[in-house]
Each structure stands twice: as structure tokens, then as C-alpha cells.
């Protein structure tokens, strides 16, 4: 007789029988194994099976946008060999920063299940404020920049007040903001309509400065790789110490290796052109900081909770009003930062700032990257992926001298496809009982 059989036939005291009414269920509960541990124990076959399960359950993650980026690169490179050149790729990563910064703020709002239609006009208005203070009023540019960002955050908080305190729909409030701040920008710029910035000044260098030393790009790649490995490794050690399932070391090493390949390839590309762009470094810093804020702090968890259920969050003791106002303030602040990068790109603040397709692209970037329009799901890294898709399409079509109307139609098609995928994913998750 096996040890298991002996255990099952062992006599129990009356007290034990009273304490455990269902010994079989209790035994099963003790010997239950976390599914993630089974995946790890099964090796490669386990991970393949887990991948299939996630696909069936609609847990696509960033897979669609990554496949889309690969397809975009293959198509445009086959049409024009300059698409994947170091110069073109470097220009793409600089151009995307302005829209990408605005999109980061949009991610915060979308996590609540709301929308902010004012970000384009806010970006234009705050860039006009910075230009007037720096050029017309003679302020130091860095101080004008700080004031403009603070003004953007204050504008966002004002929108949040009307929404969270007075109960006005966010759509209507920010639509009114779109019109008001557009008019404010035109009034601020004056009759001339354009204020030229010093291309060698603080704002001008945001998109024109490069770290030309090759050690800068490779050093950043090494730091990013090392930090990722250390945070993953130490996180797994803490989970193991707490008795929580964690990734095996081989898994962490594989992920670190893939990141290292991407990081050092990007560093080599930058060094083959002018060097590491300052704009890209700043964008990455903001992405890391906001990702930490959302995933590693109680404030970030409150935002996700609100996106899941406002009433449940309120009953859990979350200050719904304060969180909502703060999220719109963040959106306004990032709109201001994005507006400054856009002004830096053309070395001026003019009447076209914040208009055109900027609002559409900022929202589309967040959604295309994987942030749900329905709230509760997304990361700020989604803004990076989404804006990469949009700007890559724009540059690819520009290399082929495709007309502007076609660019709008293609971008709209990509956005519609993403929204449809998001809707199908949600339905699949509900069917699988995971939403």
C-alpha cells in the first residue's frame, strides 16, 4: 500500500471529523497546484499551451500591434530601401515624441473609461504661452517651459472639476475645452499668428540635440537591459520568499536577452546617424516613470479600479472625485509637454499648433497600442507602440509620395481595425469568464 493510501485510510479523531466535514475536498485544496507552476514545469510545451489558451481567451496583449509594426516595416522596406535606414528610423523616433507625450496622458483618461478631446488645443495653447513668455516677455526658456506645463495641468484639472464635481459629461466638457483653448491660443499669438523660437535655445534643442558619443547610446542600452534584469530577478526572489509563483531564471534570462537585442540594435542605428536623440531619452524616461506610477503604486491601482467599476471603487473607500480630477490634470500636463516638443520640431508656435489630425493621432495611438476604450485595461507603453505605428505609416507613405487624403484613410482603417479587435477581445474574454 502506498503512502497516499495509508494516509487516506488512517483513523481520525471525532474532533478531526468535526473540523473537516469533507476530507476529500480538503485534501484537494491542499494539493492544488498553481497553473502557472505547471506551465513552468512543462517547459517549452507548457508555454506553447499557455499561449494557445490566452489566444482562445482573447488575451492578445500587444501581439497585434507588434505584428502590425513588423508588417509595416516589411511592406515599406520592400517599396523603398530607405525606410529602414538609420536616418529615417531616427527621424521617426523623434517625430513621434510630441504626439506620443500627448497620447500618454490620453492613456490615463482612457483607463477611467472617459475621453479628453481638448488635448490638441491645450497643447497648442500651452506652447503659445511658453513662446510668449520666452520671446515676448524675456523669461528664461526653462522657466517658461515649467510655467506652460503647470498651466496645462491646471487646465486639465479644471476640466476634471467640471466632470468629477459638477457631473458634466467628460465628452462635452473637453469638447468645449477644445474650442475655448483653440480661441485662447489664437488670441495669445496675436495678429501675427506666429512666434519664432530660438533653434539653439532650451525648447529648440528638445528635438535637435543628439548625444553624439557612441558610448551614450550603447550605455543607455546597457543600463536599460541591466535594470530590467535586476528588477525582474529581485521581483521573482521576493515572490519566491512569499510563496507566490514566479518566473524561472531561464524565463527572465530569455526576456532580458530579447530586450538586449532590441536595445543594442536601436543604439547601433542611432550611432550610424547623428547619435542618441535627447527627445527619445526624455520620452523613455516619462514612459518608465508613468508605467511605474500605474503598476507599482496605490494611486495607479485606484485608476484601474475606477476603470473597472466606479461604484465598487467608491465603496472600497477610494476618493473618486480626487482621482478623476488628478487624471485629467495629468492629461493636461502631458498635452503641454507634447505641445512643447511639437513647437520644438518647427522652432515656432503658430496658429496651426494643436489642430489638424493631432487629436485623432494622439487618441488613435493609445488605442492602437492596446489601451481599451472601455476602461480598465492599458499601459503607457501602449502609447509608444501606437504612435510608432502611426508615424511609421506616415513616413512610409511620404517616401512613396502618397497623397495626404490616402494617409488619413489608411490611419482610419488601422484605428477601426484596432477598435474591432478590442471589441472582439472583450467578448471573447467574457465568454471565457475572464472579464
Amino acid at each position: 500500500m502506498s503512502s497516499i493510501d495509508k494516509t487516506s485510510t488512517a483513523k481520525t479523531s471525532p474532533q478531526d471529523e468535526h473540523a473537516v466535514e469533507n476530507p476529500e475536498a480538503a485534501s484537494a485544496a491542499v494539493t492544488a497546484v498553481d497553473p502557472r507552476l505547471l506551465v513552468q514545469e512543462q517547459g517549452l510545451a507548457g508555454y506553447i499551451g499557455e499561449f494557445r489558451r490566452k489566444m482562445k481567451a482573447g488575451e492578445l496583449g500587444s501581439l497585434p500591434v507588434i505584428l502590425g509594426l513588423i508588417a509595416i516595416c516589411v511592406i515599406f522596406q520592400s517599396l523603398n530601401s530607405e525606410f529602414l535606414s538609420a536616418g529615417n528610423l531616427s527621424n521617426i523616433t523623434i517625430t513621434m515624441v510630441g504626439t506620443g507625450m500627448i497620447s500618454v496622458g490620453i492613456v490615463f483618461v482612457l483607463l477611467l473609461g472617459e475621453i479628453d478631446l481638448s488635448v490638441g488645443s491645450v497643447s497648442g495653447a500651452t506652447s503659445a504661452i511658453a513662446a510668449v513668455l520666452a520671446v515676448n516677455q524675456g523669461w528664461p526658456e526653462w522657466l517658461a517651459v515649467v510655467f506652460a506645463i503647470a498651466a496645462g495641468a491646471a487646465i486639465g484639472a479644471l476640466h476634471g472639476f467640471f466632470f468629477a464635481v459638477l457631473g458634466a459629461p467628460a465628452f462635452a466638457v473637453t469638447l468645449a475645452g477644445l474650442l475655448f483653448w483653440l480661441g485662447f491660443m489664437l488670441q495669445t499669438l496675436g495678429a501675427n499668428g506666429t512666434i519664432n523660437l530660438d533653434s539653439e535655445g532650451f525648447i529648440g534643442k528638445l528635438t535637435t540635440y543628439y548625444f553624439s558619443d557612441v558610448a551614450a547610446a550603447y550605455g543607455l542600452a546597457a543600463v536599460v537591459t541591466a535594470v530590467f534584469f535586476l528588477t525582474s530577478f529581485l521581483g521573482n526572489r521576493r515572490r519566491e520568499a512569499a510563496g507566490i509563483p514566479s518566473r524561472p531564471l531561464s524565463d527572465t534570462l530569455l526576456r532580458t536577452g530579447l530586450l538586449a537585442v532590441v536595445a543594442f540594435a536601436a543604439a547601433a542605428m542611432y550611432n550610424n546617424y547623428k547619435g542618441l536623440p535627447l527627445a527619445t531619452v526624455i520620452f523613455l524616461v516619462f514612459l518608465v516613470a508613468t508605467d511605474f506610477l500605474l503598476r507599482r503604486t496605490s494611486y495607479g491601482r485606484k485608476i484601474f479600479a475606477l476603470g473597472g467599476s466606479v461604484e465598487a471603487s467608491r465603496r472600497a473607500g477610494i476618493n473618486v472625485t480626487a482621482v478623476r480630477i488628478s487624471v485629467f490634470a495629468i492629461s493636461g500636463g502631458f498635452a503641454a509637454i507634447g505641445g512643447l516638443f511639437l513647437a520644438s520640431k518647427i522652432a515656432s508656435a503658430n496658429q496651426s499648433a494643436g489642430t489638424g489630425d493631432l487629436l485623432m493621432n494622439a487618441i488613435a495611438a493609445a488605442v492602437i497600442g492596446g489601451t481599451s476604450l472601455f476602461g480598465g485595461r492599458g499601459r503607457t507603453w501602449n502609447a509608444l507602440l501606437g504612435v510608432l505605428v502611426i508615424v511609421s505609416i506616415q513616413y512610409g507613405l511620404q517616401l512613396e509620395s502618397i497623397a495626404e487624403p490616402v494617409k488619413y484613410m489608411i490611419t482610419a482603417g488601422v484605428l477601426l481595425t484596432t477598435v474591432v479587435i478590442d471589441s472582439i477581445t472583450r467578448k471573447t474574454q467574457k465568454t471565457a469568464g475572464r472579464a
Side-chain angles (χ1 to χ4, degrees):
M1 182 179 293
S2 66
S3 59
I4 297 178
D5 295 335
K6 291 178 181 178
T7 303
S8 62
T9 56
K11 294 182 179 180
T12 58
S13 65
Q15 293 82 359
D16 293 333
E17 289 177 354
H18 178 74
V20 182
E21 297 180 358
N22 193 339
E24 292 79 7
S27 176
V30 172
T31 59
V33 180
D34 191 291
R36 289 171 291 185
L37 292 178
L38 293 176
V39 169
Q40 296 169 10
E41 291 174 357
Q42 293 169 3
L44 180 60
Y47 283 103
I48 293 175
E50 179 69 1
F51 175 78
R52 291 175 178 174
R53 183 198 64 76
K54 287 184 176 180
M55 292 301 100
K56 291 180 179 179
E59 300 175 39
L60 302 179
S62 300
L63 181 62
V65 68
I66 292 175
L67 294 178
L69 272 173
I70 294 173
I72 289 169
C73 291
V74 171
I75 292 172
F76 285 120
Q77 179 65 15
S78 64
L79 295 174
N80 193 315
S81 59
E82 287 297 311
F83 181 77
L84 292 180
S85 65
N88 192 58
L89 291 178
S90 180
N91 288 333
I92 287 175
T93 58
I94 294 173
T95 301
M96 74 179 188
V97 173
T99 305
M101 286 289 192
I102 300 174
S103 186
V104 169
I106 287 291
V107 168
F108 278 81
V109 178
L110 290 179
L111 287 174
L112 294 182
E114 302 296 339
I115 193 66
D116 188 349
L117 300 178
S118 69
V119 289
S121 296
V122 172
S123 71
T126 50
S127 66
I129 290 173
V132 167
L133 294 177
V135 178
N136 296 354
Q137 302 298 323
W139 285 31
E141 284 198 24
W142 69 267
L143 185 58
V145 166
V146 171
F147 187 89
I149 296 173
I155 291 170
L158 178 63
H159 295 163
F161 173 81
F162 282 107
F163 164 60
V165 178
L166 302 184
F171 178 89
V173 170
T174 56
L175 179 59
L178 182 155
L179 298 173
F180 181 87
W181 299 114
L182 176 59
F184 177 87
M185 177 189 70
L186 298 177
Q187 183 69 27
T188 302
L189 292 173
N192 187 34
T194 300
I195 300 177
N196 293 321
L197 299 168
D198 181 7
S199 60
E200 295 300 317
F202 183 85
I203 298 176
K205 286 189 175 181
L206 287 175
T207 55
T208 60
Y209 185 82
Y210 295 82
F211 298 97
S212 56
D213 192 333
V214 295
Y218 287 124
L220 179 61
V223 169
V224 168
T225 303
V227 169
F228 176 82
F229 173 76
L230 288 175
T231 54
S232 300
F233 178 76
L234 295 177
N236 288 334
R237 291 289 297 271
R238 288 193 296 269
R239 293 173 68 88
E240 289 175 1
I244 303 173
S246 61
R247 297 185 186 279
L249 180 59
S250 59
D251 192 335
T252 301
L253 291 174
L254 176 61
R255 290 169 179 265
T256 304
L258 292 175
L259 176 61
V261 170
V262 174
F264 280 94
M269 178 269 294
Y270 286 128
N271 285 332
N272 283 332
Y273 187 52
K274 296 180 179 180
L276 179 65
L278 173 63
T280 304
V281 175
I282 296 175
F283 190 31
L284 290 176
V285 169
F286 274 107
L287 286 174
V288 171
T290 51
D291 184 68
F292 179 86
L293 178 67
L294 283 176
R295 299 198 304 123
R296 302 291 184 182
T297 67
S298 60
Y299 174 73
R301 289 189 285 271
K302 290 175 183 177
I303 293 176
F304 281 105
L306 277 178
S309 173
V310 175
E311 187 57 34
S313 300
R314 184 178 286 110
R315 293 183 179 182
I318 295 175
N319 189 333
V320 174
T321 300
V323 173
R324 282 175 163 174
I325 293 176
S326 66
V327 165
F328 276 89
I330 290 172
S331 179
F334 273 99
I337 296 172
L340 292 169
F341 276 94
L342 294 172
S344 173
K345 196 78 171 69
I346 60 176
S348 69
N350 57 38
Q351 293 179 342
S352 64
T355 60
D357 59 356
L358 177 60
L359 172 62
M360 180 197 72
N361 285 342
I363 297 175
V367 177
I368 290 172
T371 303
S372 176
L373 282 169
F374 304 98
R377 190 180 80 243
R379 296 178 61 179
T380 51
W381 289 99
N382 297 148
L384 169 63
L385 293 173
V387 77
L388 261 177
V389 169
I390 292 175
V391 178
S392 296
I393 291 174
Q394 291 175 343
Y395 267 71
L397 295 176
Q398 184 176 330
L399 287 174
E400 294 303 306
S401 300
I402 302 297
E404 197 70 22
V406 178
K407 295 181 184 179
Y408 284 118
M409 289 187 285
I410 292 177
T411 304
V414 173
L415 176 59
L416 178 61
T417 301
T418 306
V419 173
V420 170
I421 291 175
D422 183 34
S423 299
I424 295 175
T425 297
R426 287 177 59 84
K427 291 181 180 178
T428 305
Q429 290 177 342
K430 287 181 178 179
T431 303
R434 300 185 64 85

